[in-house]
Amino acid sequence: MVGAMPVLLAAAAALFAPKGSKEERLDLFGWLALSASTVGAALIVLGGSRETAALGGPTLTGDLMILASLVTSLAWILLSKKLMQTHSPLVVTAYTILSGTAMLAVWVLGPQLLAPLTHAVVQPLPFAHVSLTAWVALAISGLFCTATTTLLWNWGIHHVPASRAGVS
């Protein structure tokens, strides 16, 4: 399914491109490259072993979660591309990281904050006993791995059509 992302990106970029815009349209070579990558991904999937879900194989729930992840990624890429028409890649990256952090904080801290109102019994926060070394490593990883790669990705799709970014 993840191997289909470049095709989804190219199709969505062409579909949602402004009227008359030729920038997001792929040429014949681009579509042939995407088709070849999709065939390759299909061959990998179809050549795998067939396990039952009880043994850790594929499930409908897992497949739907991957599909939702692909659609979310597609929306993020196209929205970032649209935002970078008026804002720099650095600004878009900063707001992307900040909004993701806010959503994660709500997800993790929400049950703790709502516990007095709902009278629910909640477990202690999962990071209550994490060492300072682990926090420093996490901060460095977040800054140099996540933030830097997101900035580089945004810089790339700012300079390259989104439909072509999935091909490369």
Side-chain angles (χ1 to χ4, degrees):
M1 287 179 135
V2 175
M5 184 59 174
V7 177
L8 291 173
L9 180 56
L15 181 67
F16 294 113
K19 296 243 187 241
S21 169
K22 300 222 186 274
E23 179 181 287
E24 293 294 345
R25 310 276 185 233
L26 285 179
D27 57 6
L28 179 62
F29 181 73
W31 283 111
L32 287 174
L34 286 174
S35 299
S37 72
T38 303
V39 168
L43 289 173
I44 291 170
V45 169
L46 296 174
S49 63
R50 302 285 179 239
E51 299 174 356
T52 62
L55 298 175
T59 63
L60 178 60
T61 303
D63 290 347
L64 292 175
M65 289 172 70
I66 290 172
L67 185 62
S69 171
L70 290 174
V71 170
T72 303
S73 297
L74 182 64
W76 169 61
I77 291 167
L78 294 177
L79 180 61
S80 293
K81 182 75 174 165
K82 178 81 171 160
L83 287 171
M84 283 184 282
Q85 291 175 349
T86 55
H87 304 290
S88 73
L90 183 61
V91 170
V92 173
T93 300
Y95 279 110
T96 299
I97 299 293
L98 289 173
S99 63
T101 301
M103 288 184 273
L104 182 61
V106 167
W107 185 265
V108 172
L109 300 175
Q112 296 286 331
L113 297 173
L114 292 176
L117 298 174
T118 61
H119 305 291
V121 177
V122 292
Q123 299 296 322
L125 293 174
F127 48 82
H129 302 290
V130 177
S131 71
L132 179 62
T133 303
W135 281 113
V136 170
L138 181 65
I140 291 170
S141 172
L143 180 65
F144 289 111
C145 297
T146 305
T148 303
T149 56
T150 303
L151 175 61
L152 291 172
W153 171 262
N154 283 339
W155 182 85
I157 64 170
H158 179 68
H159 292 85
V160 174
S163 59
R164 297 197 189 281
V167 177
S168 34

